[in-house]
Amino acid sequence: MTMILGYWNVRGLTHPIRLLLEYTDSSYEEKRYVMGDAPNFDRSQWLSEKYNLGLDIPNEKQKPELLKAIPDKMKIYSEFLGKRPWFAGDKVTYVDFLAYDILDQYRMFEPKCLDAFPNLKDFLARFEGLKKISAYMKSSRFLPRPVFTKIARWGTD
């Protein structure tokens, strides 16, 4: 049975999952839910299925402002990565898929946030240079934006 990855028609929280599925040549199909436009942001396509999936769906909480905390967060990632090519050592692991997505979103939110951290910039380039990741990012299946749904404060352009 082919797995189904269901999420909004945005990059969002499924981006590292998509990257991992592509990297592992996993068979999957996507179900992308569409949200309506302002002012109502109709979510009926999702809500008509949401409570019939048998999943525990926690309440969404508003995210705190990130901009002022980014330098300290980047320093932590940079120090942890150090001189290693990957976050868990010499080989790519699932941790790198998660770290890539987080760092890429920070980079989108504040393009200069990695300027003081060349090891993090190198990590992103190394990850994007992986053969299967590079091919996926060049394909029509790749969804770089929007990052979040239409009611989010950023990432929908």
Side-chain angles (χ1 to χ4, degrees), residues 2-3 20-29:
T2 301
M3 49 183 143
L20 186 58
L21 290 168
E22 291 289 333
Y23 184 76
T24 59
D25 288 326
S26 297
S27 176
Y28 72 102
E29 68 180 71

Side-chain angles (χ1 to χ4, degrees), residues 14-155:
T14 56
H15 188 62
I17 297 168
R18 286 185 189 108
L19 292 171
L20 186 58
L21 290 168
E22 291 289 333
Y23 184 76
T24 59
D25 288 326
S26 297
S27 176
Y28 72 102
E29 68 180 71
E30 287 198 65
K31 179 159 190 171
R32 293 184 179 173
Y33 297 97
V34 177
M35 181 179 288
D37 293 325
N40 298 327
F41 301 109
D42 176 50
R43 301 182 306 152
S44 61
Q45 188 182 36
W46 162 241
L47 294 175
S48 67
E49 293 186 18
K50 179 177 181 177
Y51 298 106
N52 298 321
L53 296 173
L55 302 173
D56 179 25
I57 301 175
N59 292 331
E60 296 177 8
K61 295 182 180 179
Q62 191 170 346
K63 302 294 179 186
E65 178 61 44
L66 295 175
L67 190 57
K68 63 185 174 194
I70 289 177
D72 290 337
K73 290 184 182 296
M74 294 303 100
K75 182 178 179 185
I76 292 168
Y77 282 106
S78 178
E79 288 176 353
F80 184 85
L81 179 61
K83 295 181 180 184
R84 293 188 312 266
W86 305 107
F87 274 86
D90 293 330
K91 295 181 181 178
V92 67
T93 68
Y94 78 96
V95 173
D96 298 300
F97 291 82
L98 301 171
Y100 171 80
D101 191 52
I102 290 167
L103 294 173
D104 189 38
Q105 286 186 39
Y106 276 115
R107 179 175 60 177
M108 283 188 274
F109 189 67
E110 174 52 58
K112 295 180 180 183
C113 74
L114 299 176
D115 286 356
F117 306 100
N119 66 332
L120 296 180
K121 289 173 83 170
D122 291 346
F123 166 79
L124 290 172
R126 189 168 30 260
F127 187 89
E128 292 170 349
L130 291 168
K131 184 177 178 180
K132 291 178 183 177
I133 298 302
S134 177
Y136 171 62
M137 289 180 161
K138 292 174 185 169
S139 77
S140 62
R141 295 184 325 277
F142 180 58
L143 185 62
R145 287 182 182 255
V147 176
F148 300 112
T149 59
K150 295 176 183 181
I151 57 175
R153 294 184 182 181
W154 75 277

